[in-house]
Amino acid sequence: MSRLYDTVEPSVIDEDMLQRAVEEQGPKEEAGKLAKAEGIDFNDVTNLRLDFKNILKIDNLWEFTNLVKLQLDNNIIEKIEGMELLVNLVWLDLSFNNIEVIEGLGTLTKLQDLTVYNNRISRIENMDNLKDLQVLSIGNNQLTELENLVYLRKFKKLKTLNATGNPFCENVETYKQYVVAYLSHLEFLDYRLIDEQSKVAAKEIYAMPIDEIIHNEEAEERKQKENEIKQKELQIHTKAYVEYLDGSSLFDSMYAEDSDGQRLNEMPGVDELLAGFKEKFLGVCQKIFEYGLSENEKRQAEVNQFWECVEEAKTENKEAGMKIIGTFFEERKRVLAELGTITDNQVIDDKIEAYQSQINELWDKLMSLELQLVDQLEDVIKDFERNMQEMVSTFLENVKAHLTQCRDLENMHHERMMEISIVTLEKVIKNELDDEITEELRMLFVDKDTIIGAVSSSHDLHLLKIDNKEDDIETRIKNWLSAMMEKIRNEEEIKRNRVRVVEINHQIDHFKEEIDNLDFLQGP
Amino acid sequence: MESASEESPGLVPTDLDTTEGADVTNDSSELTADIGEDQEEGSSENVEGEEEELSPDAEALKVELAKIVVHSPAIEKKEEKFDPAEFPDSYKNNLPKELLILQYSDNFRRQYVHLYRDRKPLFLNPVNECGVEKFVCTTINPTQLPYKELYDWDTAAEFVADYLDFETLDPPYELPTRLLSPTTVLKRQKGNCFEYSTLLCSFLLSAGYDAYVVNGYATKETCLADETREICPLLQKKEQKVEEAKKKELKKYTVKPPRDLQSKFELKMEQRKIAAKEAEEAKRRQEEIERQLELEKPPPDPLYGLRIHAWILVLSGKREVAESFFIEPFTGLPYPVDSTNYLGIESVWNNTNYWVNMQDCSNGVQGLSYDLGDCTRWEYMFPGLDKPLLQIPETEDDLMAGLDDEEDEDKEVERHLDMPPTWVEPLKLSLKDFQMRCPLGKKSKLYKRAKLQKFAHYLMPDGLISRLSVYDDRELTDLMLIKEYYDHRQDKLHTKIHNHRTGWISEHFYPGRHRCLKEHQYKASAPAPENERTMIFYNEARVDGLKKRIETPSEMTEHFVNRDDFMFYKHVDFGKRQKKFGPQEGSGSGNTRPINKMVQKFHRNKSKLANEDIAELVFLISEDKIQISYHTEDARIVSSTREYIKPSNWEEKGATLKWESDQLHQTFQVDADIKNKKQVEIYQMMLNLLKCEDVCRERVRESEDEVREILNDRSKEDTESELEIGVYDTDRNEKAKTHRKELERLQLEEKMRKQEMEIDYLAPFLAQIGDPEKVLRNQAFKLKEDCLNDLKQRLIDKANLIQARFEKETQELQKKQAWYQQNQVNMPKENEEDYLNYCSDAMFRIHILEVRLNRHKEMAPTKYMTLEQKLRADPRLAEYF
């Protein structure tokens, strides 16, 4: 159905066209008049139809961010583009165009119905993000490989597929069986219900390859789940500031940049020493890890409790406020009804005055309620902060104590290393160890100063790593605490209070205005 | 009771030492003779002593006086006579073993009387319906019946209480002389307390309970099954679960309450005042209650403590019974073992043994121990038969030692001491009788301020099964409330409560009705539609989720549950009906009540913004206004509102509605910063609202119609009130019954046909020769010949018969033809037609006869052959062919 370019002038999506389309398709009659008078904002439009317009290029649609349904059929579009911002799109019709490649749909995650019927597409691809896809019409295209349809297994919600009229449909029976077998979620193929019988028959034919695919998919899924779980655990650990401390990562990192140390470990007799050292070191690390997790839980519980209580207080306060307003509404109704029946101006004035004083009273009540809540929250937040600070500092103290143990272990290890290295040095000097040590190690045993220097520098490096870890934990947890407290102060204390005060004033103003207007109306 | 208490101190400790528990029975054999002799001597002496001192005159006078005989008008004791022929032998005679047991128990009784002269006699060997003495333990026959109600004690007791009519003991302070067998009791549906207990005990034992019949003393009310001082069990308020108000957990960060600025002292004083008032009130109430109680106390009973009664004791242990308790057979209700209704216990028994109470009953039954193995408290009759479960180890040793000592001597005696099998036939109860429950299917009971009538299922045409009337006074004159329970009704009604005080009737229905009605409350005086009423529905089954509809003449409120549109409440105000002038349009719909106001309330729909989510929608129809209030946002305390005034031409159909925003629309938005809605949106919203209003109004009308229809249905159902019969109820289900009968009939026919098939063709010929046992050879031949000849003759006869008919038909036809030939000319058309019809008919008949004859000719030889073959094969003749 592609039209030739030279016969028809291609048009461009410009403001004029859009404006016209929107107005045409917008509200009618009285509403239409109103809309015209007011103007229609493009980002309010939900449905847009741009068919039979000879559009060559999709463009200028970025304003229609709330668009749900877009029809661009029967144009001469060659490339899917310019739709990145239409994230709310559910229904997209691009049929009868000259599209060759499926692309540019990555952001349209809400898309359910996609029609690219009668185009020049040769491959189904680039649709990974369309998780909600339910209907796909890709008939009359240039699809040649049946295998390409396996790609559609991704879309678990896909119920309807229309793919007839493609080269691979030459052998209709094979095509149908293939689709039915591989896309088992499908309910309608080429606008016909797939019956149970043909499903079973098709499955039998392709049992083997499908089983394999299913197996692979399951394995993939499992892997993904495992990964997710791991990721989650790591998140928790990071939150507890003890990530990787249940393994040997700290220990490994100590030696990672320490080439001298690695070399020194090759000295005879170090193996056992190192093994013992590592075991003890890891034991301490494990302790830190466990302690960290338990502390994290405690902190979390504390935070949860705090929020629970705050929410409770807020709802209580809200209920109290609503009750006051509710009773006032009753009163208002009564007063307004009363005013309607009275004709004597003097009485009306009195009534209005009384009513106004009631409004003021209401304001007083609501404001005092709000102030009360502010006070309450302030106290509680203070308490909470104090407790949290205490908690954090105990946590840090304990972690530091554990890390000190690590340092002690390192110190001990260092001393032993020193001894061994000196002994080894002597042996080297006496040439007793000719074959047992590598050339690189031998380089260190030039003289006593060198070897001692190497050992101490290795030691210093190790201590530095431990210090770094300590600093890291400390700064992170402190940052967390201050950020949280900051947020609580801002959100709960200041922002909430502002909003509430504005709200109360607004309502009161409204009441006052109302009575004034009424007064004005009644006056003359 | 007092009799028991007086002698008890002397009884317990000394005479019956634990070691000598078995002695009583042992010694008794020696003792019996002596006692018997003593008594006889004593009585004869007395008689002689009186006669000695009479003078001759006196003698004459005596003779003279002796002539005057006054027969006290024999108060006919309605001792029912039973025809012994109805009963099996075991009822009329005693087996040797039973005789032995009778002797033994007699012996036991005599010793007992000897040892405890002050105590009442024991209930051991009453006569049965045939006048034969039977031991009470053998009168119990545990029988399981195929009704699941009899498997649990509460329902079994209820059944016995319902099924029998009770008779009082006469006189109430003496043991009955006769104890009918449970089978007879079931048949008569009458019995005294002993018969009740024996029957119930039979059921309970068969169901596995550790049950006993208790003979003792009870209050007058209990003995006469007088429940007028009891609160009806149906009325007893279920103990209200006092839900502890959840204490507000004081959490770590709970905010401090605002400071209380009220004076503590004033508060205290206030409280004190209130407390004083309350105390006064409570005191007054208490007094009132006491006064009431005093009033209700039964009058003092002169026979208090002497009235003999029998009831059931169920001991803990079996069938998961955690605590021992009594069952009162007359009412079927359980009582704790320290109940004040029972005043003393003489003895208990079941089908295994008989125990006599040795405990002090001066305090009623309080504090009695039911450890039947403890022979200081319970004197048993048969040693070693049952559960000597003494729980005190030392005494048990003693007991054992004592038993050991005696064992050798006792051996002979003990061998006879096992219980003979019961003489009572297994109990029988037909399903029909079981379902009738009460004698004649009806029973009524009086309770304190209440009357309960019970009816058998399917007995009443409207399905009534019980009616409870509650009165305000004890004389049962001031009716307060009637509760009626139904079952098997086609309209699913199960309870109907008519409160005579308020005039309200409430009807409760099972699920499964059209329109899912669950409860219907209305005023008896105004059952018509548009009156005060409340309808509760099974909302789960309704598409519109309606749960409750409350109506008054001018209002209707509906409550909904779980609707997709989140509506949960709808309220309609109706105005006064306008008097219509002019022609009436339609009958029903024309004259509806005008609607003044409709209110709809919605739950929060989380998928919408709070400011867009309507909480309350009010259609002020009389003022042409629509008011909307939205939900409150989580962090807000006020909500947005909107108000529309309908455009003037809104009622014209198809007209475009003009829009002037300032006058027609007012709004208040909580969030002042939020952008105002566009006029188009507001306009469209109004159009929507107008539609909503229409829909809402329609719904209201539908609701009204529904009410009317339900009421129509109800009145129809009330007049029809057909009962539903279960598919499995083969007795009552007419359809099933006819079906079954039909099946049976078919079966019977089939059987008949089979019999016919096997008709003995030889029989008449055998009869001719006098049915000999064995057929002789020549006889056999002759038989065969006769039989075949007979058949031949019959076949020929039949052929002849057909021929004769054929000829007759042809002749007639020919005659007719001839007649036709003659009269053909001047014959009216009708006759001609008749003639033609006749001809075709006749030809048809002739043809049939011809065919028949031919077929007969064809078949006859084969028939002949088959008979011959059959005869050859016949076992009676076979040997000769």
Side-chain angles (χ1 to χ4, degrees), chain A residues 29-31 35 38-39 41 302 308-309 312 316 318 322 325 372 376 380 387 500 503 506-507 510, chain B residues 248 251-253 256 258 632-638 656-657 659 668-670 672 678-680 683:
Chain A
E29 294 179 6
E30 177 79 11
E38 236 175 341
D41 284 339
E302 193 80 9
E308 228 170 77
C309 291
E312 237 169 56
E316 210 172 282
K318 178 185 166 178
M322 280 173 80
I325 290 180
Q372 178 197 322
Q376 287 172 336
V380 168
N387 285 339
R500 175 59 54 87
E503 183 187 353
H506 184 56
Q507 175 76 63
H510 175 72
Chain B
K248 224 177 153 192
K251 287 178 199 142
K252 204 168 171 184
Y253 296 110
K256 290 182 199 91
T632 322
E633 274 176 76
D634 286 347
R636 304 268 183 188
I637 50 172
V638 294
T656 11
L657 303 180
W659 181 248
F668 164 72
Q669 291 293 323
V670 180
K678 288 198 168 180
Q679 293 298 323
V680 190
Y683 177 73

Side-chain angles (χ1 to χ4, degrees), chain B residues 513-573:
Chain B
R513 270 179 69 89
H514 189 48
R515 288 177 226 286
C516 316
L517 190 62
K518 184 182 183 185
E519 208 182 312
H520 181 200
Q521 298 169 2
Y522 58 98
K523 274 205 158 164
S525 53
E530 295 175 21
N531 277 311
E532 268 186 74
R533 75 180 65 250
T534 304
M535 287 179 172
I536 298 173
F537 297 87
Y538 288 98
N539 59 288
E540 307 87 349
R542 282 184 70 105
V543 182
D544 59 0
L546 181 64
K547 186 179 169 62
K548 201 173 178 184
R549 179 183 291 138
I550 303 164
E551 277 187 284
T552 65
S554 65
E555 271 174 75
M556 177 158 79
T557 314
E558 292 177 320
H559 296 264
F560 301 90
V561 174
N562 257 343
R563 275 175 72 101
D564 287 342
D565 61 359
F566 295 90
M567 182 163 74
F568 68 94
Y569 174 89
K570 187 151 130 190
H571 178 89
V572 186
D573 268 354

Side-chain angles (χ1 to χ4, degrees), chain A residues 384-395:
Chain A
F384 176 63
E385 187 173 17
R386 202 167 45 238
N387 285 339
M388 283 313 283
Q389 264 166 355
E390 230 165 70
M391 233 175 197
V392 166
S393 59
T394 26
F395 171 68

